[in-house]
Amino acid sequence: MRPTVVHLIDDTKLGGVNLALESLAASRLNQSYLFKLIYREFSLPSFRRYVADIIVVHGALSWLKIPAMLALRLANLGTPILYQEHHYSREFVAHRVAHPKRFYTMLRFGYGLMDRVLLVSDAQRRWLEKNAILATEKMRCVGQAKALNQFIALANRPFSLPLKLVAYGRLSQQKGFDLLIQAMAKLPADRVNLTLAGEGEDAPMLSALAKPLPHVSLVGEVEDVPQFLDSGDIVIIPSRWEPFGLTCLEAVAAGKGVILSNVDGLGDQIARLQINGCGYQVIEELSVEGIVQVINHVLNQRLNGELFEINSAQRQSCEQVWEQMLSQWEQTLEEVLDSHN
């Protein structure tokens, strides 16, 4: 009989996270484990006991959620509880945390309630180690990925003029789309245009920024991400923080060159791109002018006939990331079960 692994999710709007979990639940690992994805609020304590061999928590930790995490621990004594850290990173703290010491104390307490903490990138691991937030023996860097067959199946397409930039994700401060739209205001409409997909709390503000710009379109949430990527030439990712950055993995798998900021988990992905070829540009200064500069650089490359393309080795390496993540999950689940038997 397959061991049951219950995943507790408290935010149905975490698009990339939820898609990755759905991919995990449908992967080859479901031959060995029964995965159950359950929506659970952590705003109030609940002493529900789950029928599970392992529980994995995916809600962002906060002081307000600590009582619920403690109740979960007490109600499920004897069941190993893992926590996957999708949310926090070094740059998150830099942009969003007014009192880092207090925040780190909360993380130490919350992580202390868990048997293991699963990380999505090496950058995240280095940040936690540097700040002595989590003991090394409790960390497991499983990575982040999803099944990419539909992305890898896309054909390579020649670039066009005007250059078609695409960007997508939650319309929030994190993603830096406000900087991107302001940068587009400084770029000529006959050379480059931008299509931005997604929904979120910053939608009204971003729509107002884009309204006077004929070469910027906001199209709302897209259901078919591979088809959306197929409509563009280059994917631009101007994130202020990004614990992993699934968008980059999807873009490269789809054969799209990427322009991206060098923050958190995106830095790990840049390192992997460097191994296999080109097809990417780093936003050296994450500002309006920095984004204008890098887009102009790519435009000049194209006008000079220089290549800005993802190659087959880079696309195939994305499948390796998926397989490596599955192997890390498999090893972690086996280790946890063995230690509790």
Side-chain angles (χ1 to χ4, degrees):
M1 190 171 178
R2 292 177 296 169
T4 298
V5 181
V6 167
H7 293 269
L8 300 180
I9 306 160
D10 74 340
D11 188 351
T12 57
K13 295 178 182 178
L14 287 172
V17 171
N18 289 330
L19 288 171
L21 288 175
E22 289 167 8
S23 266
L24 176 67
S27 72
R28 61 176 172 80
L29 297 191
N30 70 12
Q31 298 174 20
S32 303
Y33 298 93
L34 175 61
F35 293 107
K36 292 183 178 180
L37 276 56
I38 298 174
Y39 176 74
R40 156 77 186 269
E41 287 191 17
F42 289 105
S43 54
L44 293 172
S46 167
F47 288 89
R48 175 181 172 182
R49 183 170 181 85
Y50 292 92
V51 179
D53 296 282
I54 295 176
I55 297 169
V56 188
V57 178
H58 299 277
L61 287 173
S62 69
W63 284 113
L64 290 175
K65 292 180 184 178
I66 290 295
M69 298 295 175
L70 184 57
L72 175 71
R73 174 83 275 176
L74 293 173
N76 292 273
L77 291 175
T79 303
I81 301 179
L82 316 184
Y83 178 83
Q84 187 163 23
E85 184 54 274
H86 304 279
H87 305 86
Y88 299 137
S89 63
R90 184 188 70 181
E91 291 303 314
F92 173 89
V93 174
H95 284 92
R96 294 299 298 270
V97 178
H99 304 287
K101 288 184 178 179
R102 184 173 184 272
F103 178 76
Y104 291 153
T105 299
M106 181 276 296
L107 284 185
R108 291 187 188 99
F109 190 88
Y111 291 158
L113 298 173
M114 311 298 168
D115 292 275
R116 301 285 190 284
V117 177
L118 312 182
L119 309 179
V120 297
S121 66
D122 281 332
Q124 204 176 50
R125 175 186 56 77
R126 293 191 296 270
W127 162 66
L128 291 172
E129 286 181 340
K130 181 179 179 180
N131 291 281
I133 298 169
L134 178 63
T136 303
E137 60 268 20
K138 288 190 73 168
M139 294 183 192
R140 295 295 180 274
C141 191
V142 298
Q144 184 71 292
K146 58 181 280 192
L148 296 164
N149 303 27
Q150 291 179 305
F151 296 84
I152 291 174
L154 294 175
N156 285 324
R157 296 187 182 277
F159 280 29
S160 56
L161 276 177
L163 188 70
K164 296 185 179 74
L165 297 178
V166 295
Y168 63 105
R170 185 167 181 82
L171 304 185
S172 66
Q173 180 196 12
Q174 176 189 357
K175 300 300 181 180
F177 295 145
D178 54 324
L179 301 177
L180 175 57
I181 294 174
Q182 291 175 77
M184 290 298 296
K186 298 176 179 290
L187 293 163
D190 61 336
R191 294 186 68 192
V192 59
N193 60 50
L194 168 69
T195 303
L196 172 60
E199 293 181 352
E201 60 272 18
D202 282 359
M205 179 265 288
L206 297 175
S207 295
L209 286 175
K211 188 175 182 180
L213 305 177
H215 55 316
V216 177
S217 301
L218 273 66
V219 297
E221 192 168 5
V222 294
E223 295 294 331
D224 191 335
V225 175
Q227 184 181 56
F228 175 69
L229 289 178
D230 200 33
S231 70
D233 298 317
I234 291 175
V235 178
I236 183 162
I237 309 168
S239 297
R240 291 181 168 95
W241 67 89
E242 204 69 73
F244 177 76
L246 197 60
T247 300
C248 182
L249 192 69
E250 291 175 338
V252 175
K256 301 299 175 182
V258 287
I259 297 172
L260 70 169
S261 54
N262 187 6
V263 296
D264 300 327
L266 289 177
D268 295 346
Q269 297 190 64
I270 290 168
R272 190 176 68 252
L273 286 167
Q274 288 173 335
I275 293 171
N276 291 307
C278 50
Y280 68 95
Q281 283 289 334
V282 177
I283 304 168
E284 298 293 348
E285 178 192 325
L286 188 54
S287 65
V288 172
E289 290 303 324
I291 294 172
V292 169
Q293 184 177 14
V294 75
I295 292 174
N296 273 325
H297 179 71
V298 172
L299 283 168
N300 291 332
Q301 280 186 310
R302 294 305 302 162
L303 290 173
N304 293 331
E306 297 178 41
L307 293 178
F308 187 81
E309 296 177 356
I310 293 295
N311 59 39
S312 58
Q314 289 169 311
R315 296 184 75 175
Q316 293 304 316
S317 74
C318 296
E319 280 197 317
Q320 294 169 14
V321 173
W322 166 239
E323 285 300 322
Q324 288 166 2
M325 188 202 76
L326 292 180
S327 295
Q328 289 297 326
W329 267 102
E330 193 169 33
Q331 291 174 22
T332 299
L333 294 175
E334 287 177 358
E335 172 195 309
V336 169
L337 286 174
D338 287 346
S339 67
H340 279 76
N341 287 336

